[in-house]
Amino acid sequence: MRVERVWSSDGVVRIAARTRELRVACPDCGRGSERVHSRYVRTLADVAAGGRPVLVSLTVRRLFCDAPSCGRRTFAEQVEGVTVRYQRRSPLLQQLVEMAGVILAGRGGARLLRIMKTPLSRTSVLFQLMRMRLPSAATPRVLGVDDFALYADVYGTLLVDADTRLPIELWAGRDAEQLAAWLRTHPGVEVACRDGSLVYRQGITDGAPDAVQVSDRFHLWQGLSKRVGDVAAAHRGCLPAAVPDPEPTPPSPTDRSETADTPARRHAKRLFEAVREVSGSGRSLSAMARELGLNRRTVAKYARAACWQECVRRLPPRRSTSLDPYLEYLRERWEEGEHAATVLHQEIVAKGYLGHYQRVKMAIAPLRRGLPIDTPRERPPSPRQVARWITTAPTRRGLRATEALRRLLAHCPELDRAHNLVRQFAAMLDARDAAPLPGWIEQLEASRLPALASLARALREDQLAVVQGITTPFNSGVNEGRITDLKLQKRITAGRAGVPLLRQRVILMAHLRRRYP
């Protein structure tokens, strides 16, 4: 290519060039030709130079193909690195547009290209992105299968090559037949890592019956943690035992409200009695909810409660504030006769208090009514927090959590039983020894804890895959990382990306990061 002229017009750098008189090979038969049919001008956009767009006016030749056996009579010459068939951008600029679409999708990519003096609409950026060919992927030896939420209750399936750590395929839905069909068209999978889903288990069994199925360690532990949380929720009345006994104090207004006959307590008692009347008929929660005109979760809460007092919404204990170290001083000054909130605020500010006067005024308000100052009390732990304490390794628990858990387990034998079972399973995972697994499952069944008993049934049905998950190094950690990245791509597109666009961006983004770490 020979450049003939370069000039600037209307803020655009323009370049006039023409091809050299060289022999060019026919794209069909490969025979060279120099016989010119005609010439024409191609206008190509290139990357900006000095903050100005660049347009190249390139004169190219159309040549005859003189091979008798070739079906093509004429062809246009292409300049390597400058022109591509049916393309009005240089390869470098086209790659820039495609990478902007992969990284930032439609709107973000269009904004970036506008900054780089290559204005394109968001739909054009998405069009160029969807035109890109996905890299071909060989059948993986170790396949990771996991689901992800597209929106609401709609899920999708992601397949990942556990050896290369790259995503292979993505589709909407999580049915067994679709997975089995993919495995039949891609024979050679030796190991399949999955969660405890019956759908994926059936799909792998149908599509790749010779593959070793591995129930992922993370999902095993996550399932056990969830069941421990259910056990803690079923014994919610024991959770206050984790809080140390406070020093005896006069009853506060909150304590008095717990025993007073309030509308909230009467409402809770009425609903509890109504749910109890219909719960003995053996009907489902949905049927009872329709009859009573209540939400299904409300019916479930009252049906699970042992007494109506458990369903009363209690005010949470007051949290500690920056004023707490000065409460005793405020009480002493009140007893000495200083009742002005402004003066008390000025005095504790001199001692280092940085809070507002209004907080001091609210703190001494009970004293004006002859009541004690409302001091902070420690909250009872939630079922989720108790489950976190139990599933955390003892060496990694804090001192406060260790003491609270010790008090709780000493008070509740059911949670103590669940804690011992969790620690036994943790020992199996640490040692990668599945020999105690059958006996451990029997302990779950004999624990008389419904949540753990249902887990035992699920583990027994999938015991071979559970053994592989405990004893082998294969896991779905790569899948979890890719799903985290997939959620990021969804957020970049404001959650409105369809499955084809999401599939395109997730797979291409993974290969782009591999190329440019």
Side-chain angles (χ1 to χ4, degrees), residues 298-455:
T298 303
V299 175
K301 179 180 74 170
Y302 280 91
R304 188 173 55 242
C307 59
W308 64 269
Q309 286 86 350
E310 294 183 11
C311 303
V312 179
R313 185 176 180 180
R314 297 178 176 84
L315 292 175
R318 184 177 71 80
R319 295 188 179 188
S320 58
T321 65
S322 59
L323 183 62
D324 293 340
Y326 306 96
L327 292 179
E328 183 62 26
Y329 175 80
L330 293 177
R331 187 185 61 79
E332 293 177 356
R333 292 289 290 134
W334 183 275
E335 293 177 352
E336 292 174 1
E338 183 55 69
H339 297 171
T342 306
V343 176
L344 294 174
H345 176 255
Q346 294 173 353
E347 292 180 0
I348 61 175
V349 165
K351 293 179 174 292
Y353 177 62
L354 302 177
H356 195 267
Y357 151 79
Q358 193 67 25
R359 179 164 290 179
V360 177
K361 179 181 177 181
M362 294 174 62
I364 64 173
L367 296 176
R368 300 185 186 279
R369 300 192 299 270
L371 300 174
I373 291 181
D374 187 15
T375 57
R377 293 173 294 168
E378 188 174 355
R379 294 184 175 192
S382 65
R384 179 179 295 182
Q385 187 175 5
V386 171
R388 189 181 304 117
W389 289 347
I390 292 177
T391 55
T392 301
T395 55
R396 300 187 62 182
R397 290 191 204 120
L399 179 61
R400 178 178 172 276
T402 301
E403 289 299 317
L405 182 60
R406 180 187 59 78
R407 289 189 293 266
L408 179 59
L409 298 183
H411 180 268
C412 183
E414 290 81 5
L415 287 174
D416 186 42
R417 199 178 311 139
H419 174 263
N420 293 333
L421 291 169
V422 168
R423 298 270 54 89
Q424 292 177 33
F425 189 70
M428 283 189 274
L429 291 178
D430 292 340
R432 291 192 175 177
D433 181 14
L437 181 63
W440 184 77
I441 294 178
E442 292 178 358
Q443 292 184 53
L444 289 182
E445 294 174 334
S447 64
R448 292 179 295 178
L449 298 172
L452 297 184
S454 63
L455 175 63

Side-chain angles (χ1 to χ4, degrees), residues 25-77:
C26 173
D28 286 356
C29 66
R31 180 174 177 174
S33 174
E34 293 180 345
R35 193 157 67 98
V36 179
H37 172 275
S38 59
R39 290 181 172 83
Y40 68 98
V41 178
R42 294 184 62 176
T43 302
L44 305 171
D46 201 1
V47 293
R52 295 182 179 184
V54 175
L55 289 179
V56 179
S57 298
L58 178 63
T59 303
V60 298
R61 300 174 294 168
R62 179 170 290 277
L63 306 170
F64 286 102
C65 180
D66 296 326
S69 59
C70 183
R72 184 184 290 270
R73 298 271 61 90
T74 64
F75 62 92
E77 64 177 336

